[in-house]
Amino acid sequence: MAFIHRRGLLLGAAALGAFAITGRAQAQAPAAAPAPAPTGPFTLAPLPYAFDANEAAIDARTMELHWRFHHGAQVANLNRALVGQDAFAAMQLDELLMNLSRVPEAVRGAIRNNGGGHANHTMFWEIMGGRGGEPTGDLLAAINRDLGGMTEFRNRFNAASMGVFGSGWAFVTVTPSGTLAIATRPNQDNPLMDGQRVLMGNDVWEHAYYLRYQNRRNEYVSNWWNILNWDKIAARYGAAMAGTLRV
Ligand code: MN
């Protein structure tokens, strides 16, 4: 009020008129209309296959809901959190996640959850849509060397997936020299937040499997291997060693 009085004294009728117009405009604005999500800098890419491409493990309805609404909301909320954060909005997603400690605290949680979710789901869609089986070549050699071979790898990865309490992810991380390791993260955290790259990973949030499997996460994590696309995972392995793997 002191501010308005001072302005009124200084500017007289012009200032009072402007105040009246502002007041009327505010009264006519729709109540609590949420601002539309910005369309960038990040976007929800189309799935690289049909919703029913992963039926051997994941039903089409789950694929559609998961991609359109869960992942879609994370992209929209990430863009919202980046409004006014021009330096961070200009970053690639991996760079953003590797620099979370520099993000202003007011939006750090939103960027961690939604940026992590965007990275996790982008990788997740990419590595599925296949027919399972086993990898060959350099990737198989690395699995044999670092993870005890395919049978032990599957057993250890499934045990890690089952061991995630609540919502989270199981990952295989890959170093620039091609060394593999199994890791888990809670919520939508991603190993990029610790400076590590992800080769592959499985979403063990209930939204990823509940329609078909309900509480039977073990059946989901077991069937998930049947829809992996090892050509895509091998390409990610090559990219990791070439320094071109992003999320
Ligand atoms: Mn998910």
Side-chain angles (χ1 to χ4, degrees):
M1 290 303 286
F3 173 78
I4 291 167
H5 283 160
R6 236 180 356 260
R7 297 282 291 177
L9 287 171
L10 288 171
L11 301 175
L16 291 172
F19 177 75
I21 289 166
T22 303
R24 208 160 39 240
Q26 284 171 343
Q28 289 168 352
T39 55
F42 294 102
T43 54
L44 180 65
L47 279 180
Y49 36 70
F51 293 127
D52 65 0
N54 293 316
E55 277 288 349
I58 304 172
D59 59 282
R61 183 70 177 139
T62 293
M63 283 297 304
E64 180 169 10
L65 293 169
H66 196 172
W67 169 76
R68 189 184 305 283
F69 297 112
H70 291 273
H71 188 184
Q74 287 162 350
V75 172
N77 289 331
L78 175 60
N79 288 334
R80 273 195 193 95
L82 286 167
V83 170
Q85 307 288 343
D86 293 354
F88 296 103
M91 289 181 173
Q92 295 288 319
L93 183 55
D94 55 344
E95 188 184 5
L96 180 61
L97 297 180
M98 287 175 172
N99 285 283
L100 270 183
S101 63
R102 293 173 47 211
V103 170
E105 210 172 336
V107 292
R108 192 182 303 152
I111 291 176
R112 177 181 194 140
N113 291 336
N114 295 293
H118 184 29
N120 288 338
H121 290 101
T122 299
M123 172 279 301
F124 188 56
W125 310 137
E126 180 187 342
I127 66 163
M128 300 192 297
R131 293 171 165 267
E134 297 196 352
T136 57
D138 291 344
L139 177 54
L140 179 60
I143 289 170
N144 289 338
R145 181 191 64 216
D146 299 332
L147 303 175
M150 280 303 294
T151 299
E152 185 173 331
F153 168 35
R154 268 193 291 260
N155 289 341
R156 285 177 53 196
F157 190 90
N158 288 355
S161 301
M162 292 303 295
V164 174
F165 181 77
S167 301
W169 290 74
F171 297 104
V172 176
T173 59
V174 56
T175 68
S177 59
T179 300
L180 305 178
I182 293 171
T184 63
R185 292 291 185 279
N187 305 314
Q188 293 295 351
D189 283 0
N190 180 292
L192 286 165
M193 296 170 187
D194 306 312
Q196 300 178 66
R197 299 271 169 193
V198 169
L199 175 70
M200 59 189 283
N202 193 6
D203 187 343
V204 294
W205 283 61
E206 286 184 347
H207 67 230
Y209 62 86
Y210 213 82
L211 286 184
R212 179 182 283 185
Y213 299 97
Q214 293 84 50
N215 60 306
R216 303 185 308 279
R217 184 191 287 186
N218 61 321
E219 289 182 30
Y220 164 68
V221 303
S222 174
N223 287 347
W224 178 71
W225 297 88
N226 298 328
I227 55 168
L228 290 182
N229 184 330
W230 284 108
D231 289 341
K232 298 281 189 184
I233 299 169
R236 291 178 63 85
Y237 187 69
M241 288 196 290
T244 58
L245 180 63
R246 307 308 299 251
V247 299

